[in-house]
Amino acid sequence: MNSRSYNTRKRILVTGGAGFIGSHVCARLLKRGADVLCVDNFFTGSRDNISPLLGDPHFELLRHDITFPLYVETDEIYNLACPASPIHYQFDPVQTTKTSVIGAINMLGLAKRTRAQILQASTSEVYGDPEIHPQPETYCGKVNVTGPRACYDEGKRCAETLFFDYHRQHRVRIKVARIFNTYGPGMHPRDGRVVSSFIMQALRNEAITIYGEGHQSRSFCYVDDLVEGLTRLMDTDESTTGPVNIGNPAELTIRQLAEKIIELTGSRSKLSFHPLPQDDPEQRQPDISLARSLLDWSPRTELEDGLLKTIAYFEDFLRQSTGR
Ligand SMILES: NC(=O)c1ccc[n+]([C@@H]2O[C@H](COP(=O)([O-])OP(=O)(O)OC[C@H]3O[C@@H](n4cnc5c(N)ncnc54)[C@H](O)[C@@H]3O)[C@@H](O)[C@H]2O)c1
C-alpha cells in the first residue's frame, strides 16, 4: 500500500544518485519540485557530486547497497545504480551482476509494493558488438556471454528481462532507457572512459592513450540532454515502456575526439597507440527515431560546447586536488 503523505510533492527515489548521471538527475528533479531520495553505496559515486544538493530540505541521502532490499515510500524510481565504466564494473564483476540483477529485483519489488513507476538505466552495451548501424531498439544484439564485459552487458540484459516480466506478471509501470555514451561534468576522473581520460591526459600534457588505430567510432551525448530524455520518458503515459535509445547519433572517431580535446585544451599532448582490449566494439551509434517520435526528444548540445563545460569541470577538479 502506498501511504501518500499530505505533501503533494512527488517523492522520487534515485538509486546511484551520487554517481555521474545520478547526481544530474537528482538536481533536475529537485528543480522540478520533487522530494528526492538519493540512494547510493558510494562504490563509484562521491559526496562531491551531490554536495551542492545536501543543503536542500527536499533532498535526502541514504547510504545503501541495492543488492539488499529497501523499504521506503516513493512515487517514482530512477534505477541508475551500477558501475558504468569497464574499469569499475570489472573490478568486482560478481558484484556488478548482482547490482544489475538482484538490484533490479529489489527495486522492482519496491515499485510493485508502492505502485511506483520505475525507470531502468539500461545501456547500449545490450547490443554488444553490433552487426548493424545505427542500432534500433528492435536489434537483439551480439553479446559475448563469457567475456570480461559480460558481467555488465548480461547483467543489464537480464535487468531488462526482469523489468518486462514484472510489467507483464505484476503490472508494474516500467520505462526502459538504453543509454549511449554520455559525458559531462561530474564524470569520474579515473574511470578509464574515453572523454574523461583524454581530457585528464590533455590537461596534464600527457600522451593520449588510443586503443587500436583510433578509427573506431563513438557518439557522445551531453549529460543535460540525456537527463532531459530520461525525464521525458518517465513522464510518458503508462502504455509507453520502451526500450528507448537515448544518445547522440552524431558519430566521430576516437582519433577525431582526441584531436578535438587537444585543440580545445591547447594541450601539448601527443597521441599514443595501444592494442585494442577484448570485445571493444568497432562502432556504436544510436538510432533515436523512437525517442524523436515518442518523446519529441533529440540532443541539443553541440560537442564543442559540451566538451568545454566538461574541460572546465576537470580543470577545477585538478586545481582542487593539487591545492589540497
Ligand atoms: N555514463 C554512460 O555513458 C552510461 C551509458 C549507458 C548506461 N549508463 C548507466 O547509467 C547509470 C549511471 O551511470 P554513471 O555513468 O552515472 O555511472 P557512475 O558509476 O558514476 O554511477 C553509478 C552509481 O551507482 C552507485 N552504485 C553502484 N553499485 C551500487 C549498489 N549496489 N547499490 C547502490 N549504489 C550503487 C555508485 O556508487 C555510483 O554512484 C548506470 O546504471 C549505467 O549503467 C551510463
Side-chain angles (χ1 to χ4, degrees):
M1 172 74 180
N2 189 348
S3 56
R4 297 267 328 156
S5 68
Y6 290 115
N7 191 343
T8 53
R9 294 172 76 99
K10 212 180 246 181
R11 298 158 306 174
I12 307 184
L13 165 61
V14 181
T15 76
F20 159 49
I21 297 174
S23 54
H24 288 269
V25 169
C26 289
R28 179 75 64 96
L29 296 174
L30 284 170
K31 248 189 209 144
R32 286 171 47 141
D35 280 338
V36 174
L37 172 59
C38 164
V39 165
D40 206 295
N41 69 350
F42 291 102
F43 174 55
T44 49
S46 82
R47 282 184 83 87
D48 286 346
N49 281 343
I50 46 164
S51 60
L53 313 179
L54 290 172
D56 189 319
H58 297 288
F59 182 76
E60 265 182 287
L61 171 64
L62 176 66
R63 182 186 284 265
H64 172 82
D65 183 324
I66 64 156
T67 61
F68 296 94
L70 178 68
Y71 299 100
V72 292
E73 298 308 319
T74 182
D75 303 307
E76 279 179 3
I77 304 169
Y78 285 78
N79 188 35
L80 271 65
C82 187
S85 75
I87 288 180
H88 291 144
Y89 67 65
Q90 288 169 2
F91 174 78
D92 185 348
V94 173
Q95 173 67 9
T96 300
T97 305
K98 280 186 182 171
T99 296
S100 279
V101 177
I102 302 176
I105 292 171
N106 286 331
M107 290 307 114
L108 284 159
L110 177 63
K112 181 179 165 213
R113 185 179 68 79
T114 57
R115 298 199 189 113
Q117 178 159 277
I118 179 166
L119 181 144
Q120 167 69 353
S122 190
T123 169
S124 55
E125 299 287 338
V126 299
Y127 300 124
D129 191 0
E131 299 128 312
I132 54 169
H133 302 282
Q135 293 89 47
E137 290 82 352
T138 47
Y139 176 56
C140 290
K142 182 183 155 229
V143 174
N144 177 354
V145 181
T146 56
R149 300 172 79 114
C151 58
Y152 184 70
D153 304 3
E154 291 294 346
K156 288 285 187 179
R157 285 165 69 95
C158 184
E160 284 201 20
T161 306
L162 285 161
F163 266 67
F164 280 87
D165 282 336
Y166 267 78
H167 176 64
R168 283 183 289 256
Q169 196 176 336
H170 300 299
R171 292 190 297 280
V172 171
R173 293 178 294 142
I174 61 156
K175 312 280 173 194
V176 175
R178 288 188 181 153
I179 302 172
F180 283 65
N181 267 337
T182 302
Y183 71 100
M187 290 183 90
H188 197 292
R190 284 174 295 279
D191 62 5
R193 281 191 267 192
V194 66
V195 174
S196 44
S197 302
F198 285 4
I199 294 178
M200 288 289 280
Q201 288 168 333
L203 290 175
R204 291 165 157 159
N205 294 308
E206 292 168 359
I208 304 241
T209 315
I210 294 194
Y211 294 106
E213 302 284 303
H215 298 320
Q216 65 274 40
S217 71
R218 294 289 184 276
S219 47
F220 300 97
C221 185
Y222 188 63
V223 65
D224 286 355
D225 291 334
L226 171 80
V227 172
E228 180 65 28
L230 295 181
T231 52
R232 284 191 189 205
L233 178 58
M234 187 61 115
D235 291 345
T236 52
D237 66 29
E238 253 184 67
S239 64
T240 301
T241 56
V244 181
N245 288 339
I246 303 194
N248 192 331
E251 239 186 328
L252 79 166
T253 66
I254 293 296
R255 194 187 176 117
Q256 285 169 326
L257 176 73
E259 285 161 353
K260 186 79 186 153
I261 288 175
I262 290 176
E263 177 200 322
L264 294 177
T265 49
S267 171
R268 296 190 301 280
S269 295
K270 300 273 174 276
L271 306 184
S272 143
F273 296 90
H274 299 264
L276 266 181
Q278 195 186 338
D279 296 336
D280 194 46
E282 235 334 273
Q283 198 183 10
R284 185 58 73 57
Q285 186 192 20
D287 176 337
I288 58 162
S289 322
L290 191 60
R292 282 188 211 277
S293 62
L294 215 56
L295 313 176
D296 188 24
W297 176 87
S298 58
R300 299 258 173 266
T301 311
E302 293 298 330
L303 181 70
E304 188 157 324
D305 296 339
L307 284 178
L308 285 170
K309 288 182 188 161
T310 313
I311 290 167
Y313 165 78
F314 280 114
E315 276 172 340
D316 200 42
F317 172 83
L318 282 175
R319 245 192 317 274
Q320 282 183 30
S321 44
T322 48
R324 266 175 205 156

